[in-house]
């Protein structure tokens, strides 16, 4: 029988923390064993958690006590999921890694450390070997692996099969993102009732930066152009949706490229998680829809199996011979955060970085 | 002293109808003299109108009785504003034109009749002469002039100075539109709470078709490419905003083109309404903002003077040497409908198609 | 082994229809065997259904073909669930009953026929015997049983233990209801963004009328006052929530009555469904919360087991010696419609009105 | 000619601050002369202000520089409007009063000081004489006058004519309040999309406490019961509306009381501001509507003249011989805050507490 891994969830009462709790409460071999919080230490998790996700909070988790974020108290914990906010996450995660814990982080703080993987398992599972370098360089028993920004994942996953298979020239992405991406309390209500909130230059830029890296780490069938020659741009916004980042992409190519071929490439797209049949790997990372009014945030964000792990892509169409358009929808707190983190943990198990 | 024109507003209780009523109640020489409705004939306008716009309904208008849509009852009416819905508008507007009335229509039904102007006065005021042909061909004393779809105006007005001054290759527009664009009852509430509603292929296509025509009717400083060589695409959506269509545009060029120059072209953009100092002409049809979180629908839709007549453009930036990005915001029921209709009426007055 | 009942769902693509489909797809002995629709006959249910509820549409249901609303085609159907809209429902349901089908209706059309039960199984299960009279009087093999308006159920269920156990004088209820209560397309979006929509005198009145009847059919521990002496009032509204009717109640009494005692009565409230351990009967029809910011629509509407079958009541407090205040939340399309319908079917089975 | 008063607005960039700026920019004799802010000192007011109200920010105000909250810099300021938040307001306002400034505060910090008026000019203008006691007791040249909580004003203004003219026994109020009442950033967006946010015991209690005081300070035509015998309760909530607090009230009486008489009393209700024809006094503090789906937040919050200064009351109806029901709508940042503050300033001018 498979070894059960005991996981600690840092920031367990936050919006990504609850998705970790929900997913792990049903996981075949990773259990939510330690729920770490901040203002709520000592209280039953169910009492103080805003369970802003699908279903009711599972009884066994509701009764767990929230505990301090302290490695010393986590003797029997096997791995750490850290959806801590930017800034706060960095030093905490380093401390845990130093103390020997494997840390899977959804935070930006270590994403661009040169020896830290920024993982979307279907795209760049081979970067897992950065961990070896990381341990050597830092003399850590533990390690840090990160997952990218939800918005960047929403853009990069559909772009990956395009970049891998075609001579892509540019991609111009407009995002209409949900509130949960900013955490709680996050976006003030007065900014989003009867309004659209542009996220500004910094948010646009970090999205683009992460997509560049993810695409540069794909394994490609085509040889040129290199990612450096590709022009990427994102214009990012939030509106009053709770979960689900919706993105419209216009992609240009160096040569004639047919929407049909792009559709096929998306349909066939899969990666190591599918090959390894990881429990959280959806059959298809990208689900296609043919309806011209889909995907819709309310109806499609929980698509796939496990729910919320597939990105839904639709409206793939030929703009001109060298340009196609599509729209995509990612569940930002599942595929774009906690679900992606759990999938990464499963990959680490198969790759020998976590006990099996 | 200037002659006062008596206007009838068809569909006066609708969302564009109320903007006509509001604007005309303050107009220097066009008065709301006849409010035509359908289910509400005989009732005081103020009693049965959903005044879903700024301010309270003016007393003198509130007390007017809603009357039938019947040319025979409009002896002393000088012109007709027709924001009737698609399908219903066509035959009614023809009948009025046949009976000798000048009709300014916001409906799509006659927009692509070859002898009917589709007017954005800053862009294609010269097409007013189509009226002569129209009258001759149809043997009408009256005539029909249309205004374009609000979404198309929102796209075309910022694109006009670009197409006029640069060697544009393509424009890829993503719209996030407000509910009022669909009229009342319009969009069901269950489609937009916690959701984004894609408007589908037909809506995308009609937007593009109208933008093509508008751009093809600009007067240009550059000679090529012709509009037929330009690649346009629109991906259109509605969300839970009340007024204001927000649009993100990526524009590509045949040659290196600087965002700064594009900004200048937009800033300097003006047309015949500004030259003629028409009462509803804003000083600047395009207002620029430098803030990276603006325009915002709630805060900027009423920009300009008269309020809602200027389009706000921001976030103009260089994506690569041949691509720029910007976002725009148009007040869909003012500039994109009633305000544009009144501005057109003012132009017709100066051009001799309405009495002065 | 228990006999499996084959159910037809009329209006299966509507908002209550989908809850029936969802609930029955997991039911131990009632199966969704026939999905009747109107505009969508012949199409796969999954293709044309707006699945505006929790979870993804079950595969086996998604693939079923939508069929006509025709008793002749339903030879092997055992019972009919009819969430058809008011007006349309009446004659259709009569026809089915005449043809020998048991009909469980969520529509108002037959609610006040003197020989038709209006059933909340925890409150008035004994009224099931009206069916005998109904069959005799109408010479039908089938029959009609109705469930009350969701709003009335939301009011009546917490009031039932109060009226049963205390000398109630009046109840003044303010409702803040969700959009799904009005069906789809239902409420226009422009009525609810940045707004509260009062439902008006007629809606208030029908709510009160149904609550009167439900309370009059409770079995009471106290003898007076009779329901006719009780003063009821409802002020009803909708806002931009998707599911869940929230209600604030002020209840006055003839004598001193303690909030604590009322709380106990609610806590202990149960009925025949609990005694019979019906599969859709929640352990507690009323779940109490002690938090002063709960229930909340988003977080509590799916409370109970089965989810959405318990009403959540909170903020029970003493206003003065003879007045208490509480708030309640009912899942309007589950407990208030489809779930209540299924629970009624289960009761009918135990009572011999449906085969077991 | 009347003397012009120069006003400082503390917290001028906040939601109530902007209403002060808007109202005073059009005021006949009180001018916005000093705009005090905190994080934004030195910047042009128009640059950094979220103008979340009607109309565009007036040019002359937009260009003013935000200045420190420092009495020493306000030599030529005649009065202070202080919509500072609870806690922050108290000591600042005291300091200003000590330095000789008349302070009109919308903050709760001094509302229940026994020598500080809590003013709704139509209800308790006579309490202005508390200022004399305040100055004597505290040896201040300046003074503090407060306005009540917006929610309490929304409840108290319609209740005032009832309590003044009838033998009221109790009032049970359910509020559905807007987001602006909590300021900016205020309510997190994730608390209000698809949700209703109960404000809890403390908010309910402070509302009731203030209504008690306001009613106890009315001048009455009936002698009993005293306010202490009246039972008041409030159940308070916020939803996703921007401005406008909507309240449903059930009022009980000691004796038979007709809804018609209550309606008359509300219609005739006026106070000293109307007698003195103060510039910000609406003709009717209470506007009645007969439509059974009004008032509505979106359509009625700006009712009255000046806009937003009248409370709209509707749905007055007889529940039973001794109980009536009505609903009301108050513009919380105008009548309930800045507008009430300006009206108070006008009263103080006429009463000799401010120079005329």
């Amino acid at each position: 029988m498979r070894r059960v891994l005991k996981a600690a969830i840092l920031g367990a009462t936050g919006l990504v923390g609850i998705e970790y709790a929900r997913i792990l409460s049903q996981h075949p071999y990773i259990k939510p064993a330690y729920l770490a919080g901040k203002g709520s230490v000592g209280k039953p998790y169910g009492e103080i958690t805003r369970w802003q996700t699908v279903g009711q909070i599972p009884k066994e988790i509701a009764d767990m006590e929230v505990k301090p974020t302290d490695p010393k108290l986590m003797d029997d914990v096997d791995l750490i999921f850290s959806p801590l906010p930017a800034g706060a996450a960095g030093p905490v995660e380093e401390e845990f890694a130093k103390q020997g814990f494997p840390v899977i982080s959804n935070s930006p703080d270590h994403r661009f450390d040169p020896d830290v993987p920024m993982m979307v398992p279907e795209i760049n599972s081979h970067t897992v070997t950065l961990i070896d370098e990381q341990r050597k360089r830092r003399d850590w028993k533990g390690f840090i692996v990160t997952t990218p920004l939800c918005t960047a994942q929403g853009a990069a996953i559909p772009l990956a099969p395009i970049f891998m298979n075609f001579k892509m020239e540019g991609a111009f992405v407009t995002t209409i993102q949900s509130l949960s991406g900013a955490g709680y309390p996050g976006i003030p209500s007065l900014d989003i009732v009867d309004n659209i909130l542009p996220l500004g230059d910094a948010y646009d830029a970090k999205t683009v930066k992460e997509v560049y890296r993810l695409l540069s780490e794909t394994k490609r069938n085509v040889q040129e152009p290199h990612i450096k020659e590709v022009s990427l741009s994102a214009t990012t916004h939030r509106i009053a949706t709770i979960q689900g980042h919706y993105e419209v992409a216009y992609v240009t190519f160096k040569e004639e490229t047919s929407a049909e071929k792009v559709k096929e490439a998306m349909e066939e797209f899969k990666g190591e998680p599918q090959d390894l049949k990881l429990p959280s790997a959806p059959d298809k990372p990208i689900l296609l829809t043919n309806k011209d009014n889909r995907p819709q945030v309310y109806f499609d964000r929980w698509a796939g199996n496990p729910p919320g792990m597939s990105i839904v892509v639709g409206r793939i169409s030929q703009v001109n011979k060298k340009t196609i358009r599509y729209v995509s929808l990612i569940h930002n707190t599942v595929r774009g955060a906690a679900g992606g983190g759990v999938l990464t943990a499963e990959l680490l198990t198969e790759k020998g970085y976590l006990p099996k």
Side-chain angles (χ1 to χ4, degrees), chain A:
Chain A
M1 214 189 113
R2 181 144 203 156
R3 169 153 174 202
V4 168
L5 298 175
K6 291 184 181 161
I9 304 169
L10 311 190
T13 62
L15 286 168
V16 175
I18 63 173
E19 292 297 343
Y20 273 119
R22 185 184 63 76
I23 293 168
L24 296 183
S25 72
Q26 309 163 354
H27 198 276
Y29 60 83
I30 310 178
K31 293 296 160 203
Y34 190 107
L35 304 176
K38 205 173 149 190
S40 45
V41 169
K43 295 190 186 131
Y45 183 69
E47 281 291 299
I48 44 84
T49 299
R50 294 177 77 259
W51 190 255
Q52 196 151 25
T53 183
V54 75
Q56 295 294 309
I57 184 166
K59 181 88 183 75
E60 63 278 17
I61 290 180
D63 293 342
M64 288 173 70
E65 195 180 280
V66 177
K67 294 187 183 161
T69 307
D70 183 348
K72 292 188 215 74
L73 302 172
M74 300 192 195
D75 270 359
D76 62 347
V77 162
D78 296 301
L79 80 162
I80 308 290
F81 292 108
S82 169
L84 292 177
V92 171
E93 292 169 1
E94 281 184 47
E95 181 58 23
F96 272 93
K98 207 177 290 176
Q99 298 296 328
F101 291 95
V103 177
I104 295 171
S105 164
N106 308 104
S107 146
D109 291 359
H110 290 289
R111 273 184 204 144
F112 283 91
D113 289 6
D115 55 358
V116 171
M118 185 179 79
M119 182 71 70
V120 175
E122 282 89 345
I123 291 181
N124 59 353
S125 59
H126 59 88
T127 63
V128 76
T129 56
L130 283 175
I131 294 173
D132 306 328
E133 195 188 326
Q134 187 191 133
R135 282 170 153 169
K136 200 184 307 170
R137 198 192 280 192
R138 309 200 190 202
D139 196 24
W140 286 351
K141 275 204 228 131
F143 58 83
I144 298 172
V145 174
T146 67
T147 71
L149 181 67
C150 45
T151 317
Q153 293 194 53
I157 295 176
L159 281 176
I162 297 179
F163 182 67
M164 286 162 72
N165 293 294
F166 304 95
K167 295 191 175 165
M168 194 177 137
E169 187 177 76
F172 312 129
V173 178
T174 299
T175 77
I176 315 177
Q177 303 175 217
S178 69
L179 302 171
S180 56
Y184 181 86
I187 306 297
S189 53
L190 286 165
D191 279 339
I192 55 93
V193 177
D194 194 9
N195 201 21
I196 298 165
L197 189 68
L199 295 180
D201 292 341
Y203 198 101
D204 290 359
K206 72 181 173 188
T207 301
V208 163
K209 186 181 174 193
E210 296 195 11
V211 175
Y212 267 118
R213 173 161 168 198
L214 287 169
L215 294 187
S216 75
E217 292 176 355
T218 55
K219 294 193 169 164
R220 307 183 65 203
N221 303 322
V222 290
Q223 292 315 315
E224 49 88 33
H226 295 294
I227 184 65
K228 290 195 176 163
E229 298 165 33
V230 170
S231 178
L232 294 181
S233 173
T235 310
T236 60
H237 312 84
R238 278 192 215 288
I239 64 159
T241 50
I242 297 177
Q243 297 118 352
H245 289 359
Y246 181 96
E247 309 192 7
V248 178
Y250 284 94
V251 183
T252 58
F253 298 90
K254 293 254 177 204
E255 60 188 13
E256 292 193 15
T257 304
S258 96
E260 274 314 306
K261 296 276 186 207
V262 167
K263 206 179 284 188
E264 279 167 31
M266 286 200 188
E267 188 127 43
E268 287 161 16
F269 176 62
K270 59 192 184 68
E272 220 170 348
Q274 283 71 35
D275 296 339
L276 296 171
K277 296 190 191 302
L278 301 180
S280 298
D283 272 4
K284 288 177 175 295
I286 297 175
L287 287 173
L288 297 182
T289 173
N290 284 318
K291 297 190 183 170
D292 81 337
N293 66 349
R294 298 294 274 265
Q296 284 185 30
V297 171
Y298 187 91
F299 295 99
D300 296 307
R301 57 189 160 196
W302 289 103
N305 183 11
M309 283 301 286
S310 289
I311 286 188
V312 182
V313 170
R315 314 207 65 204
I316 307 176
S317 62
Q318 199 83 38
V319 174
N320 58 47
K321 288 178 184 169
K322 297 185 179 176
T323 309
I324 64 123
R325 186 271 321 263
Y326 64 84
V327 308
S328 66
L329 175 65
I330 184 173
H331 195 304
N332 54 298
T333 52
V334 180
R335 165 52 84 163
V342 173
L343 187 63
T344 298
E346 294 166 2
L347 182 82
L348 292 173
T349 308
E350 299 305 319
K351 295 287 190 181
Y353 293 93
L354 283 174
K356 193 172 171 176

